[in-house]
Amino acid sequence: MFQRIIHLIHKTTAAITHGNLSQRIPLTGNGNEGDEVTTAINTMLDSISQQMDNVRQTSNAIAHDLRAPIARARSQLEDGALHARTEAELRTAIEHAIEQLDHVTSICDSLLRIAQIEAGSRHSAFSQFDLVPALRDILELYAAVAEDRGITIKTIFPEKLPFYGDRAMFQQAIANVLDNAIKFSPPKGVIACSAQLILPSPHSENDGIVEIAITDHGVGMTPQDMTHATQRFFRAEQTHHISGSGLGLSLVQAIVQRHGGQLHLANNNPGLIVRIEVPLPRTKISKTMEINR
């Protein structure tokens, strides 16, 4: 049995090495130890194949999303160089090209940020803090933008909310969600932002779960869009006319996962509900919890 498994593994890996990524080790159907090993290897190969597909899709998306603004910048600079008759016209062409190149820079910065977070390079910045002031700081920054569009932001926060994580990183996640909510909401719309602590069960391994929900009444997403929303560069069909890179929720997902949490999307009929759930590690928050109780 051992020799047979080794032979099948060698045959499969040789096929994969020569480009046949769909090749898998056949099962005997006996349900023995050999099938258990085979299933584990096939699962690993499926995971590797999926990751390679994701890399290819991301590479194609990066090329597509970077090519357009770079081409526009080149066209604007060339048009200015050939046809600008005054210094003001030339300056306008340069400013428009700079805007396009700034967009390219922002895409690169977001991709690098996601990579850094997924690699865990910022874990040393984790600390214990009150999440409510951090949330209010972000809301204050976006209040003027919302007001310009006649959008009202309603909040439901407790007096205090203990949290353990990277304050700046988590604020960025909330800012991305709030920015999307404002961007996709209709004029004079309403956005609701709430935060609460869900207390732990008696046998829980954490000190509860912090739940943050941001709800809007905008264009929303279809169920199919929600399954792809956190993929890099994904943009729903109904939002293509609105500027953006499709990296916002990818970054949110990376930050939430870095904090050991989960990101959930749901239909608000109309609009979208974005819910973030992050567990509180018992060793980090216990003293604060006792004080608050």
Side-chain angles (χ1 to χ4, degrees):
M1 182 183 69
F2 179 76
Q3 288 179 338
R4 179 179 178 276
I5 292 174
I6 294 298
H7 172 72
L8 291 174
I9 290 175
H10 172 72
K11 182 180 178 181
T12 301
T13 53
I16 291 174
T17 301
H18 287 86
N20 185 3
L21 301 181
S22 63
Q23 185 73 27
R24 296 294 181 268
I25 305 173
L27 297 172
T28 63
N30 296 327
N32 54 23
E33 292 87 347
D35 276 356
E36 291 179 3
V37 173
T38 298
T39 300
I41 294 175
N42 285 342
T43 301
M44 178 188 66
L45 292 174
D46 289 340
S47 177
I48 293 173
S49 179
Q50 181 61 49
Q51 291 176 17
M52 292 184 67
D53 286 341
N54 292 340
V55 169
R56 280 194 291 269
Q57 292 172 8
T58 300
S59 299
N60 290 337
I62 291 173
H64 180 271
D65 278 62
L66 293 184
R67 181 179 180 180
I70 290 174
R72 283 195 294 266
R74 185 190 184 283
S75 176
Q76 288 160 351
L77 290 174
E78 184 178 37
D79 184 66
L82 294 175
H83 305 294
R85 291 169 294 182
T86 65
E87 181 180 343
E89 290 180 353
L90 182 59
R91 186 178 297 276
T92 299
I94 293 173
E95 289 175 351
H96 288 166
I98 289 174
E99 290 177 3
Q100 298 298 330
L101 295 176
D102 283 344
H103 180 58
V104 173
T105 302
S106 69
I107 291 176
C108 294
D109 288 344
S110 295
L111 288 170
L112 289 172
R113 180 76 167 141
I114 292 171
Q116 289 171 352
I117 293 169
E118 290 178 342
S121 61
R122 292 282 310 267
H123 196 264
S124 60
F126 277 38
S127 63
Q128 182 179 325
F129 62 93
D130 184 356
L131 186 59
V132 173
L135 293 176
R136 293 197 184 281
D137 287 346
I138 295 299
L139 289 170
E140 185 177 346
L141 286 175
Y142 281 89
V145 180
E147 186 177 351
D148 288 343
R149 297 193 57 194
I151 295 174
T152 302
I153 301 178
K154 296 183 178 180
T155 60
I156 305 175
F157 295 152
E159 185 177 345
K160 292 183 179 180
L161 190 57
F163 195 79
Y164 181 75
D166 185 320
R167 180 188 176 103
M169 185 190 294
F170 202 75
Q171 282 183 314
Q172 184 173 2
I174 301 302
N176 280 18
V177 176
L178 192 59
D179 182 70
N180 281 346
I182 294 173
K183 186 186 299 181
F184 299 127
S185 287
K188 302 184 183 300
V190 177
I191 297 172
C193 183
S194 65
Q196 64 173 330
L197 175 63
I198 301 175
L199 294 177
S201 61
H203 304 291
S204 176
E205 296 181 356
N206 55 59
D207 265 334
I209 294 176
V210 169
E211 181 188 82
I212 301 167
I214 297 178
T215 305
D216 65 63
H217 298 278
V219 296
M221 291 185 184
T222 65
Q224 184 177 4
D225 286 341
M226 291 181 197
T227 62
H228 302 288
T230 57
Q231 295 177 2
R232 296 173 195 181
F233 298 105
F234 175 81
R235 302 193 67 197
E237 186 67 30
Q238 63 270 30
T239 64
H240 280 180
H241 65 286
I242 302 175
S243 63
S245 63
L247 290 171
L249 285 179
S250 299
L251 183 57
V252 174
Q253 173 87 320
I255 292 173
V256 171
Q257 289 183 342
R258 188 72 192 110
H259 285 77
Q262 294 182 331
L263 174 66
H264 303 279
L265 304 178
N267 201 328
N268 195 36
N269 296 315
L272 187 67
I273 301 172
V274 180
R275 193 171 73 255
I276 297 172
E277 297 177 350
V278 178
L280 301 180
R282 185 174 295 277
T283 56
K284 304 294 183 182
I285 308 295
S286 293
K287 292 182 180 180
T288 303
M289 291 287 293
E290 293 300 323
I291 293 173
N292 290 341
R293 287 170 183 165

